[in-house]
Amino acid sequence: ASAQATSAVFTAELPRILERPPPPSLLQPAEEALVLPRPAWFRRLWKRLDLIFLLTVALPTAAAAVYYGLIASDQYISESQFVVRNPQRPVPSGLGALLQGTVLSRSQDDTYSVHGFIRSRDALRELDRKLNFRQAYSRDGIDAFNRFPSLDFDGSFEALHRYYQNHVGIDYDSVSSITILRVSAFTARDARDINDLLLQMGERLVNNLNTRSREDLIEVAQQEVQQSQRQVAAAAAALSSFRTRRGVLDPDKQGAMQLQGVDKLREELVRAQTQLEQLRRLSPDNPQIPSLTDRVRILQDFLGGERAKVFGHDASLSAQLPEYDRLALEKTFADRQLATALAALESARNEAHRKQLYLERLVQPNLPDVAVEPRRIRGVLTVLAFGVVLWGVVSMVLAGIREHGD
């Protein structure tokens, strides 16, 4: 009975229920009905990311645009090209040609010497003395970031040298051996003048290296000649002393002459003895026998004396001959060494004049008519790109931290 009563009431009220408008929530699309309200942590994270974007991207890019657009000073770049060459460089062959890429020639070594001098403190001192380098880069019209001294207010010479190295660049092509020298300054004339003076100093350095090499080569050869001359003089003095002390000019020649005299005496003695023997046999009472006997005795005594001069005692020519030969040999060697040293000196002089290095200017320092630095648009875009990358990295890190915390 109760069920029937309930069914009768629902049937009577159904038309009235269908006539009522549906609630607003049922009229919304399914997508909007599924959207949930954002939690508080998400809203905080979004605000934090907006702050990070402002700090890493917007503000640095705006600062870069202001600096490059309104503050940064124009810089002019003067460029020149030169090569240090040796006109007498030998052409490599065989193994030398294979190792040509790894073995430095003398001209390449001197090229690096020129590079080192251009970037040295000595070159900076000369530039400051002749062109007033410090004042050229300290003018009031230069912005504070590029002016010397910069924001650190360090006006020492070491700071100036570091500043100088940042404005003088050297590029070297090892294949063509060409050096490109770039000088940046805040006026076109300063850039051109500094570049030209650096080239002049490089040429002077190469000339000094040539002069020093030539002088060293000739000096060594002259020292050899002087030493050989002293040896020749010492050998000649020793030989002259021997001749004065011994009373002979040439024991060998004098011995030969005395031996010829001994031979003649021997022949005369033989004739006298033969004549004496014939008289004694044929005419024992011949009155010439005593005189011939005396002649034979005198010849024998004289022959013995002449032999003694050549042989037999310390004062003889044969005893003096070894010492004389030694002194004469030393004199001959000294003369030959002197002749060799003189030839080497002449060859060194010819070599010094023949083998020289040259700093050849391929491109003269130009006078720029427009400032190429700083590259303003590229600088702003670089700051923007770096800021975007930094913002992305920081955002990912913060999101990871938040997700890990949840």
Side-chain angles (χ1 to χ4, degrees), residues 25 38 78 83 87 127 136 369:
S25 59
R38 296 179 179 178
S78 177
V83 60
L127 285 174
D369 57 351

Side-chain angles (χ1 to χ4, degrees), residues 194-388:
I194 292 174
N195 198 319
D196 184 69
L197 183 56
L198 287 175
L199 287 181
Q200 293 179 16
M201 288 189 287
E203 292 172 352
R204 186 184 62 198
L205 175 64
V206 172
N207 293 333
N208 291 338
L209 292 175
N210 286 329
T211 303
R212 180 64 181 273
S213 176
R214 184 186 307 114
E215 290 178 352
D216 291 343
L217 186 62
I218 295 177
E219 182 179 0
V220 171
Q222 287 178 344
Q223 289 178 356
E224 292 292 333
V225 170
Q226 293 174 359
Q227 183 178 0
S228 299
Q229 289 175 345
R230 289 192 294 268
Q231 292 177 355
V232 170
L239 188 59
S240 177
S241 176
F242 170 81
R243 288 170 174 170
T244 303
R245 186 176 66 255
R246 298 292 186 176
V248 292
L249 292 177
D250 190 343
D252 195 5
K253 293 181 179 180
Q254 291 184 0
M257 293 176 62
Q258 289 184 355
L259 286 176
Q260 291 179 0
V262 169
D263 291 338
K264 292 181 179 179
L265 289 176
R266 184 183 296 112
E267 292 176 359
E268 189 174 354
L269 176 60
V270 170
R271 287 195 299 269
Q273 288 177 345
T274 302
Q275 187 178 3
L276 179 60
E277 289 294 330
Q278 290 177 354
L279 289 175
R280 285 178 178 177
R281 289 179 182 180
L282 298 176
S283 177
D285 297 330
N286 193 319
Q288 294 182 358
I289 293 177
S291 61
L292 286 175
T293 303
D294 294 338
R295 180 179 175 78
V296 169
R297 186 176 64 254
I298 291 172
L299 289 174
Q300 289 177 346
D301 293 340
F302 193 69
L303 181 60
E306 291 299 321
R307 285 181 175 178
K309 291 180 181 179
V310 181
F311 308 103
H313 55 82
D314 295 338
S316 63
L317 294 177
S318 61
Q320 298 176 10
L321 190 60
E323 183 179 1
Y324 175 83
D325 289 340
R326 179 179 61 82
L327 296 176
L329 187 61
E330 291 179 357
K331 177 68 167 55
T332 302
F333 283 162
D335 291 337
R336 291 180 179 177
Q337 186 174 0
L338 177 59
T340 304
L342 290 174
L345 177 59
E346 186 65 23
S347 176
R349 288 173 178 170
N350 297 332
E351 194 77 7
H353 290 290
R354 195 166 48 242
K355 286 187 176 180
Q356 289 188 358
L357 293 169
Y358 299 92
L359 191 151
E360 191 73 25
R361 296 191 184 191
L362 303 179
V363 177
Q364 296 292 337
N366 66 305
L367 182 64
D369 57 351
V370 65
V372 297
E373 293 288 345
R375 302 182 184 273
R376 305 179 189 276
I377 297 178
R378 187 180 66 179
V380 175
L381 293 178
T382 301
V383 173
L384 176 60
F386 180 77
V388 171

Side-chain angles (χ1 to χ4, degrees), residues 33-95:
L34 295 176
V35 174
L36 298 177
R38 296 179 179 178
W41 68 267
F42 185 82
R43 290 193 297 270
R44 290 195 301 268
L45 178 61
W46 182 254
K47 291 180 180 180
R48 187 173 301 175
L49 292 178
D50 289 344
L51 179 61
I52 294 173
F53 182 83
L54 180 65
L55 295 177
T56 58
V57 180
L59 290 180
T61 303
V66 172
Y67 172 73
Y68 285 109
L70 303 176
I71 300 176
S73 302
D74 292 336
Q75 296 186 31
Y76 298 85
I77 295 180
S78 177
E79 183 177 298
S80 63
Q81 297 181 13
F82 66 89
V83 60
V84 178
R85 63 185 181 90
N86 184 358
Q88 298 295 331
R89 178 189 292 183
V91 178
S93 60
L95 184 61

Side-chain angles (χ1 to χ4, degrees), residues 150-170:
S150 186
L151 298 178
D152 56 356
F153 300 102
D154 185 4
S156 63
F157 184 79
E158 291 298 326
L160 181 63
H161 182 248
R162 292 192 297 268
Y163 181 87
Y164 164 75
Q165 290 184 330
N166 292 331
H167 288 77
V168 175
I170 294 176

